[in-house]
Every structure is written in C-alpha cells, then in structure tokens.
Amino acid sequence: MTSIAELPLSIQISKKLEDDIIYGFFLPGTKLDEQELCERYGASRTPIREALKLLAAEGLVEIRPRRGAIIPTINSFTLCEMFEVMAELEAMCGRLAARRIQPEEKQELQRLHHLCQDYLNQNDSENYYEANRLFHFAIYQASHNSFLIEQACALHKRLHPYRRLQLRVNHRMNHSFSEHSEILDAIFSGNEQEAEALLKAHVVIQGEKFTDFMATLDHLKI
C-alpha cells in the first residue's frame, strides 16, 4: 500500500488542506488565495490548483468563475442526512455482498482487514483510514450491482473527509475495527440480514455518536 508521503504532491496538499478546512483553520465563506496556499504548503501554483480541483469534486471547495476557490458553508443537519443515506447504501451493499461475494473477494477483504489491524496497532489513524476506505470499497464491489457501486462510491467520496475525522474521536478506531470483524463474519457466513444491519449501524451517525462527532468539530474550530 502506498504511504501518504509517496502520493503525488497535489494529493498530499489536498489532504492537508482538507484537514485545515475540517479543523476550522479555513472557515466557511473564506476565499482561498492561491499565493497564500503556496506559502502555507510550500508548493507552486500548479499542484495547489490541482489540489483545489480534487477538493471541489468532493464538495469541500467551490470554484467560482472570476472569484476563485471558496469554502462553502457546512450545514451539520445536511451532513447528518448524508450519513443516513450513506448508511442505507452501505447496508444494501453488505446484504448483496453476503449473497454474491466470490472467494477471491473474501481474500481481499481479509487482507484489508489485517492491514487495518496493523495501522490500529500503530495508532496510525491516517493510514488506517486509507485501508478502511479500501475495505468499504471492496464490500461495494462484492455486491456485484454496478449502479449501487457507483452511487455508494460517489457519496463515500463526498463524505470521506468527515469519515476520516470520525476516526480521531476517542476510541473510534478500536470500535471501527471491532465492527469490521463482525461485518466480515456476517458477509462470509452469508448472513444477509446481519450484514445489512451491521453496516448500517457502522456508518450512520445518530444520537450520542452524532453529538460526539459534532462536539469534536466544534472543538477543532476553537
């Protein structure tokens, strides 16, 4: 697996800028000045512009004609609604994967699960997230429903900055890995209803889980 430091410069910058947006260094409504970004991230305009395009595709940045890049206003309720939809899509992927997964796909899921465990043991939330992301994408692929895969991947891409942040909430990485283990057992045993329920609970943010998540966002903006 490619480490963060080995990724193209534009992607490295996009991840740093992504964190700065989520952590509140750049507040909603802020106009991003390319020269200031060049100085902050030690890069030329070309990778900065490429990074902005990547974040625009995820909805974290809006690129407006003659106005440049702007941080859009983040609505916590919309964010919660997006997680609700993501949970339903992933639940469907889990149910179909339990029915349709192939032997080689089981091996790949198991490999990614072990990779998550390695990063958990190292307390490396960044690389854990990357392995976790591939783990979820592997479940999508195992559903063998191309339209569902397309929709799940698109929404996951939109939400991934916030899913990364979730892993920095106290003990979330440990809980995530434990939940992955249960999800694997359900899928591998062909238990469709269990896989569906576990994935939905794994992704949705509600009740205390949502409160803790929003409190983390608020704390990081202070």
Side-chain angles (χ1 to χ4, degrees):
M1 183 176 177
T2 303
S3 68
I4 301 301
E6 295 173 328
L7 294 172
L9 182 58
S10 60
I11 296 180
Q12 293 184 47
I13 293 171
S14 74
K15 289 182 179 295
K16 293 176 182 177
L17 179 53
E18 179 182 288
D19 280 344
D20 283 342
I21 293 170
I22 294 174
Y23 292 171
F25 184 86
F26 295 114
L27 297 174
T30 300
K31 184 179 184 300
L32 297 173
D33 181 87
E34 285 189 5
Q35 184 56 44
E36 291 180 3
L37 295 179
C38 289
E39 294 173 2
R40 180 170 177 80
Y41 303 118
S44 64
R45 287 181 182 267
T46 297
I48 292 293
R49 287 171 179 169
E50 291 174 351
L52 290 173
K53 288 179 182 178
L54 290 171
L55 293 180
E58 297 168 2
L60 275 186
V61 169
E62 291 180 2
I63 299 179
R64 303 176 181 177
R66 297 182 296 279
R67 292 188 63 190
I70 295 175
I71 307 299
T73 301
I74 299 173
N75 185 312
S76 61
F77 295 103
T78 298
L79 183 62
C80 185
E81 289 176 343
M82 291 169 70
F83 268 104
E84 285 181 342
V85 174
M86 186 79 257
E88 295 293 342
L89 291 175
E90 295 227 13
M92 188 180 298
C93 287
R95 174 167 54 81
L96 293 177
R99 184 190 311 170
R100 300 172 176 173
I101 192 167
Q102 300 300 304
E104 63 274 14
E105 292 170 333
K106 288 184 177 182
Q107 292 178 3
E108 178 63 5
L109 264 178
Q110 192 69 63
R111 183 187 72 82
L112 292 170
H113 187 53
H114 289 153
L115 193 58
C116 284
Q117 184 172 35
D118 290 340
Y119 290 126
L120 172 64
N121 293 339
Q122 298 169 35
N123 196 31
D124 183 346
S125 66
E126 181 68 21
N127 278 309
Y128 179 93
Y129 172 76
E130 294 300 324
N132 167 78
R133 180 177 62 86
L134 295 176
F135 178 88
H136 282 267
F137 284 171
I139 293 175
Y140 305 164
Q141 294 297 326
S143 75
H144 294 277
N145 181 311
S146 59
F147 183 76
L148 177 60
I149 294 167
E150 179 184 353
Q151 297 304 308
C153 287
L155 187 51
H156 190 122
K157 185 176 183 181
R158 186 84 183 275
L159 284 172
H160 88 79
Y162 303 98
R163 294 180 75 146
R164 284 177 65 209
L165 181 57
Q166 273 187 287
L167 294 175
R168 299 178 188 182
V169 176
N170 285 342
H171 308 301
R172 179 57 199 154
M173 214 170 12
N174 298 76
H175 294 322
S176 170
F177 182 77
S178 296
E179 290 163 11
H180 281 188
S181 296
E182 295 177 347
I183 290 166
L184 272 188
D185 289 343
I187 291 176
F188 287 2
S189 65
N191 191 330
E192 297 178 29
Q193 291 184 337
E194 184 73 4
E196 181 178 42
L198 288 170
L199 266 162
K200 182 175 181 178
H202 179 65
V203 175
V204 74
I205 297 181
Q206 59 186 10
E208 292 182 0
K209 191 176 177 183
F210 178 68
T211 301
D212 290 344
F213 177 55
M214 296 312 300
T216 300
L217 281 177
D218 291 339
H219 172 71
L220 292 170
K221 291 178 181 177
I222 294 174

